[in-house]
Amino acid sequence: MSQPQFRTPKGTHDVLPEDQQYMTYIKKAVRHRARQAGFKRVDPPIYENRAIFERGIGAHTDIVEKELFLVSSKQSGDDAAELALRPEFTAGICRAYIEHGMQLLPQPVNFYAIGPCFRHDRPQKGRYRQFHQFDFEVIGLKDASLDAQLIQVLTKILSDLRILDRLTLQINNIGNSDNRKMFAQAVKDYFIGKERHLPEIDRNRLQTNPLRLLDSKEEDTQILLKNAPRLEQFLDAESKDYHATVLDYLETLGIKYVENPGLVRGLDYYNQTVFEFWDQSTGAQNAVGGGGRYDSLMELLGGKPTPGLGYACGIERIIWHMKEAGVQAPNKDNVDVFVAQLGPEAKKSCLKLITDLRELGVHTVGALGEASLKSQMRLADKFQAKYTLLLGKMEVKEGTIILRDMKAGKQKQIAFKQVVPMIKKLLGERNLDTYTLKDQLGPGEVDDD
Ligand code: AMP
């Protein structure tokens, strides 16, 4: 085969039908658990004013420093980019909360979001430039029970997707910003005279964001950190109390966790609770998701002081885990009936027949080309159709049609008038795909895939 002229850009991929089954299944689990717990869906735009990410996420984080995709129009020129593709949802959702005056709603306001995010990362396994997240945010009220409740919703989703037992919940409390300032200063003091032993990346972090050293993947840094001051030494009584209460609630809910004092999460806006779900075998690398409390983010974005709590999960990584665990997402793209025909009259009748079957909720395809019956039958086989209907010139004349059971390899001639009720009976009413129709007509909500 010759090389295609165009391919997907580096770090992106087509979500092909096989993975759509997983995507749909995951979205359904998320929506279901979100509704149960009073979360409403919000879709912030895919790009926002870049300052929202720079201020919200923090100028000295990898996401903003290296990974932001800037967006500009031809008119504005590259240098004038004021917009950036969203690398995550939280900052945009908080901007929406402020913009739409949602502090007037009953608090907390619970949101969830599902969609693509963009980071100019170095592509590798589980790390893409366009990837999908589902995200939960609890804004406007601070209480340790909300942290525990959010974690519970997430464990329910991961358990619905049958991957919870492959993961561990890692949790920590990183205190308030004063605690962290004191800690950052202590770390800086500790490293005076030792900087040259640090890898360059962490030498820079020491100046800009010392907290990041704690979750550094550099071995030299981790060795040096063994005798460094520890964050928990700087936590105030309130943070310690808060943490103990969250853990207590998790125990009440029967949720297993691992206390991890090295967990800080990379972003500036977190305070108090931070947590991640890690792959049991690979740990921090390829975490399926992470989140925490962000009680000062709203102010950074120009809003009133408002507590917040959020979590984001990478959908590609979940799909990977589901496949590894042998979880097969239900496939609803099966073909029930293949319609084969020969001759212009038959073609016309089939066109109407195909429409009638589809209306009934039967997954129906028909080649309707000029190919021979034999090659149409081969196609029916490839589509793995349950039944094939054959209409040739003779059958049109006689007002009949041939119905072939593909698995049994048996066929019979029936009256053309009988074919729709016959297919309905053979498939069984409950297997008819009337899902979309019901959703749109009923009083319930419209499917928001
Ligand atoms: P973060 O807030 O950076 O921890 O991201 C939350 C989750 O999104 C991660 O745990 C991953 O599952 C997913 N994620 C983040 N960045 C990427 C990426 N570049 N490619 C794929 N998934 C990602």
Side-chain angles (χ1 to χ4, degrees):
M1 220 160 65
S2 65
Q3 287 291 319
Q5 192 180 355
F6 295 112
R7 288 176 173 278
T8 50
K10 195 173 169 191
T12 70
H13 56 271
D14 298 309
V15 185
L16 295 171
E18 202 249 328
D19 275 347
Q20 294 291 353
Q21 294 162 19
Y22 283 88
M23 284 274 187
T24 306
Y25 194 68
I26 294 166
K27 283 182 197 167
K28 278 194 175 148
V30 169
R31 284 210 302 266
H32 171 71
R33 293 296 179 184
R35 274 191 220 121
Q36 280 185 338
F39 285 80
K40 292 191 178 153
R41 178 146 174 186
V42 62
D43 277 316
I46 281 179
Y47 58 87
E48 297 256 7
N49 196 317
R50 65 188 271 192
I52 288 170
F53 304 122
E54 286 164 351
R55 270 195 233 165
I57 297 170
H60 297 299
T61 55
D62 282 354
I63 293 184
V64 167
E65 238 171 24
K66 300 190 219 140
E67 298 169 6
L68 219 49
F69 273 99
L70 300 181
V71 181
S72 62
S73 72
K74 275 211 160 159
Q75 280 104 320
S76 56
D78 278 343
D79 296 341
E82 285 180 356
L83 305 169
L85 296 182
R86 65 182 182 212
E88 49 114 68
F89 281 102
T90 306
I93 292 178
C94 289
R95 189 264 315 130
Y97 177 93
I98 301 168
E99 184 174 338
H100 301 288
M102 294 189 199
Q103 65 276 14
L104 300 177
L105 299 174
Q107 308 291 305
V109 177
N110 289 348
F111 281 132
Y112 75 103
I114 306 175
C117 295
F118 305 84
R119 295 183 193 178
H120 197 269
D121 239 343
R122 196 164 52 81
Q124 50 193 294
K125 181 175 157 282
R127 199 160 281 282
Y128 310 105
R129 291 186 174 167
Q130 175 175 342
F131 57 100
H132 294 78
Q133 281 191 341
F134 68 76
D135 175 279
F136 283 78
E137 309 291 342
V138 179
I139 306 176
L141 192 71
K142 179 173 177 180
D143 191 289
S145 86
L146 295 174
D147 302 36
Q149 284 187 57
L150 175 62
I151 290 172
Q152 200 208 18
V153 171
L154 301 166
T155 57
K156 287 283 175 205
I157 292 170
L158 296 170
S159 151
D160 289 347
L161 300 174
R162 304 211 212 122
I163 59 168
L164 184 62
D165 56 2
R166 301 173 57 86
L167 308 171
T168 59
L169 166 63
Q170 307 279 318
I171 189 163
N172 190 23
N173 186 298
I174 57 170
N176 62 33
S177 64
D178 287 340
N179 302 160
R180 284 199 307 282
K181 262 184 218 145
M182 285 196 304
F183 169 71
Q185 192 53 52
V187 172
K188 278 187 180 169
D189 293 346
Y190 168 79
F191 275 105
I192 290 176
K194 300 187 187 71
E195 293 102 325
R196 63 201 160 82
H197 301 299
L198 280 175
E200 193 186 342
I201 178 168
D202 284 335
R203 222 177 302 141
N204 295 335
R205 281 179 179 152
L206 184 63
Q207 298 313 318
T208 55
N209 193 352
L211 206 61
R212 292 293 316 278
L213 293 187
L214 293 193
D215 63 2
S216 167
K217 305 216 163 54
E218 306 289 331
E219 211 174 313
D220 290 349
T221 309
Q222 287 303 336
I223 292 170
L224 283 169
L225 277 173
K226 289 222 162 92
N227 297 318
R230 294 195 322 272
L231 178 59
E232 66 254 41
Q233 297 167 326
F234 295 84
L235 295 190
D236 61 349
E238 193 192 332
S239 303
K240 283 184 187 157
D241 236 34
Y242 193 88
H243 191 48
T245 315
V246 173
L247 298 186
D248 185 30
Y249 289 158
L250 289 179
E251 275 156 37
T252 305
L253 292 170
I255 295 171
K256 289 195 203 107
Y257 59 81
V258 177
E259 270 196 274
N260 181 344
L263 185 73
V264 293
R265 308 266 306 134
L267 318 186
D268 279 2
Y269 56 57
Y270 287 112
N271 68 313
Q272 305 288 6
T273 309
V274 290
F275 62 99
E276 290 186 350
F277 281 93
W278 284 7
D279 181 336
Q280 264 175 8
S281 45
T282 59
Q285 221 161 18
N286 294 338
V288 301
R293 195 153 263 300
Y294 51 82
D295 298 329
S296 49
L297 176 57
M298 285 292 179
E299 284 163 273
L300 291 174
L301 296 177
K304 295 202 183 78
T306 313
L309 167 73
Y311 175 87
C313 215
I315 294 183
E316 282 77 3
R317 292 192 193 174
I318 291 196
I319 293 177
W320 182 84
H321 273 288
M322 289 173 75
K323 287 182 179 170
E324 282 292 296
V327 181
Q328 178 63 53
N331 177 6
K332 294 201 174 168
D333 293 336
N334 58 311
V335 174
D336 298 319
V337 171
F338 185 94
V339 179
Q341 43 67 52
L342 212 60
E345 283 307 311
K347 196 170 185 176
K348 240 188 200 169
S349 308
C350 283
L351 207 53
K352 175 80 171 54
L353 175 61
I354 287 172
T355 311
D356 290 348
L357 287 169
R358 287 178 183 166
E359 278 298 291
L360 193 67
V362 178
H363 294 180
T364 313
V365 294
L368 295 187
E370 307 294 332
S372 70
L373 271 183
K374 203 169 162 198
S375 62
Q376 290 187 66
M377 288 304 286
R378 236 181 276 131
L379 206 53
D381 237 1
K382 284 191 184 146
F383 279 125
Q384 297 181 327
K386 289 193 190 91
Y387 299 97
T388 299
L389 296 171
L390 290 132
L391 194 69
K393 288 181 196 135
M394 274 294 284
E395 287 77 24
V396 175
K397 245 190 228 151
E398 292 170 359
T400 60
I401 192 163
I402 294 167
L403 165 66
R404 184 176 176 82
D405 180 328
M406 298 299 280
K407 203 164 165 200
K410 287 188 181 146
Q411 63 185 50
K412 60 181 171 187
Q413 197 159 10
I414 56 170
F416 189 83
K417 289 202 301 274
Q418 287 300 312
V419 68
V420 173
M422 176 75 92
I423 291 285
K424 182 174 171 181
K425 195 168 145 221
L426 285 170
L427 290 174
E429 191 129 12
R430 53 187 280 275
N431 295 320
L432 299 177
D433 188 355
T434 51
Y435 171 77
T436 314
L437 223 56
K438 262 192 298 197
D439 256 15
Q440 283 172 357
L441 291 176
E445 69 179 57
V446 172
D447 190 11
D448 49 3
D449 261 351

